[in-house]
Amino acid sequence: MVVIRLFALSHKAEFATFVLDLRLLRECGRHFAEGSLADLAGISRWPRCEQLSTWRPWRLGRAELCWVGKQSDETWALGDTCAPLVSTGSLAGNCLAHRRLWDKLHSGPRVGSVPTFDWFFGYEEAQGFLLPLLQEARAAYPLRVLDVGCGTSSLCTGLYTKCPVPVDVLGVDFSPVAVAHMNSLLEGGQDQIPLYPGHPASRLQFIQADAQNLEPVAPSGSFQLVLDKGTWDAVARGGLPGAYQLLSECLRVLSPRGTLIQFSDEDPDVRLPCLEQGSQGWTVTVQELGPFRGIPYFAYLVQVSH
């Protein structure tokens, strides 16, 4: 058995950083082959992992994060001692905000016949939360929905194929590999059946764009709903200024009665102060989702203050 232990660090931000690194590896491990995961992480000996214990990234004091596999009996400790295990430019660096990482991830082989890869959770888990919001929206149909940093998630395709109200969905991502994959999936490439809308008036499009600069693809006030599933988490890995720029662009493209939703597993004690600072004049609320696969998640809603 392989057990990776992460002992609590001295600073909350650093602790959250290492949790995010391992969280990405866990999510990748559910969908991608063992070899590509090892290459992606820059770790020469990385087992195929089957279970990760539940953790709270905001908890300070002595904590332990375990990654459990079945290949051998050894323990790896990460943190200040991780340098021998992780190469420069790996997930322990600031690369979660870099396109190169995501191009490589989206290029990797997929396990089984699942054509999408979901960070945190997919459309099936989110629909119970999203559909009431879409049905209650006070806007002319079809409702315009923007998914920033969509990657190869099932969120856009699920809304397009299963939402009973008409939606005009735009998925944007800075990875051309992800955008090409999703457009191929939409059109029926890769031996897949073409996607058909759940409502005749629904539309779906994928465009390569930087979520921190949406001006070329999204005019101000043009979307009733903006979705961010893990994109803030990844961009913030490269520094909070980038995350605040992402937030600013999301708020710019919202219609006057629109809603921005950030899906994350980050604790409200950490995320809410950031959102409140970056969206002054807006109302920020949070709802707990899940738990999914034993992990609680949160939906952070940003709306115009009335």
Side-chain angles (χ1 to χ4, degrees):
M1 176 178 292
V2 175
V3 179
I4 296 177
R5 289 191 173 95
L6 173 61
F7 298 101
L9 305 179
S10 59
H11 189 274
K12 181 182 292 188
E14 293 176 353
F15 183 54
T17 288
F18 281 99
V19 167
L20 182 59
D21 290 342
L22 290 176
R23 183 177 63 198
L24 175 61
L25 290 174
R26 171 180 59 81
E27 292 292 332
C28 293
R30 292 193 301 109
H31 291 275
F32 288 83
E34 176 181 341
S36 63
L37 178 57
D39 292 340
L40 178 67
I43 299 175
S44 60
R45 299 185 303 132
W46 194 268
R48 179 155 181 165
C49 301
E50 298 185 0
Q51 178 182 354
L52 182 64
S53 62
T54 303
W55 72 90
R56 297 274 181 172
W58 54 89
R59 180 183 297 157
L60 296 180
R62 183 174 176 82
E64 189 175 279
L65 176 64
C66 295
W67 188 298
V68 181
K70 292 184 176 179
Q71 292 192 353
S72 61
D73 293 318
E74 53 186 306
T75 297
W76 294 342
L78 300 186
D80 293 338
T81 62
C82 70
L85 297 177
V86 184
S87 63
T88 302
S90 73
L91 292 178
N94 289 331
C95 63
L96 287 183
H98 294 173
R99 197 185 82 183
R100 182 182 61 213
L101 167 74
W102 298 103
D103 285 345
K104 189 167 186 177
L105 186 150
H106 295 307
S107 298
R110 287 169 172 79
V111 174
S113 59
V114 179
T116 55
F117 166 72
D118 277 296
W119 176 273
F120 300 151
F121 52 81
Y123 175 77
E124 294 299 325
E125 292 84 1
Q127 62 178 333
F129 177 79
L130 289 176
L131 290 183
L133 291 177
L134 292 169
Q135 291 167 338
E136 295 169 5
R138 300 176 182 177
Y141 290 120
L143 295 167
R144 298 208 68 201
V145 180
L146 174 66
D147 184 2
V148 293
C150 64
T152 57
S153 167
S154 63
L155 201 56
C156 288
T157 56
L159 282 170
Y160 174 65
T161 60
K162 298 180 180 180
C163 184
V165 300
V167 288
D168 183 359
V169 183
L170 173 61
V172 300
D173 199 279
F174 68 174
S175 168
V177 178
V179 171
H181 175 82
M182 296 308 289
N183 277 322
S184 176
L185 183 63
L186 174 62
E187 297 163 4
Q190 307 175 44
D191 298 323
Q192 299 285 330
I193 299 174
L195 302 181
Y196 294 98
H199 189 284
S202 291
R203 296 188 291 267
L204 174 60
Q205 186 180 17
F206 294 98
I207 297 178
Q208 182 186 355
D210 186 346
Q212 298 179 60
N213 179 22
L214 296 168
E215 194 76 46
V217 298
S220 298
S222 55
F223 290 91
Q224 283 79 45
L225 181 62
V226 177
L227 303 175
D228 170 344
K229 186 160 69 74
T231 303
W232 168 287
D233 301 74
V235 172
R237 185 62 177 84
L240 279 178
Y244 283 126
Q245 177 60 28
L246 165 68
L247 175 62
S248 175
E249 277 294 272
C250 290
L251 297 180
R252 180 185 65 79
V253 302
L254 272 183
S255 65
R257 293 183 177 271
T259 300
L260 163 65
I261 304 176
Q262 289 187 352
F263 294 110
S264 178
D265 65 352
E266 186 169 57
D267 181 67
D269 289 345
V270 178
R271 180 64 61 91
L272 284 177
C274 293
L275 291 179
E276 289 167 352
Q277 178 178 334
S279 55
Q280 296 182 17
W282 298 72
T283 299
V284 183
T285 58
V286 60
Q287 295 186 36
E288 185 167 348
L289 305 178
F292 305 129
R293 295 188 300 276
I295 300 176
Y297 294 93
F298 301 93
Y300 296 93
L301 290 79
V302 184
Q303 299 166 305
V304 173
S305 298
H306 298 292

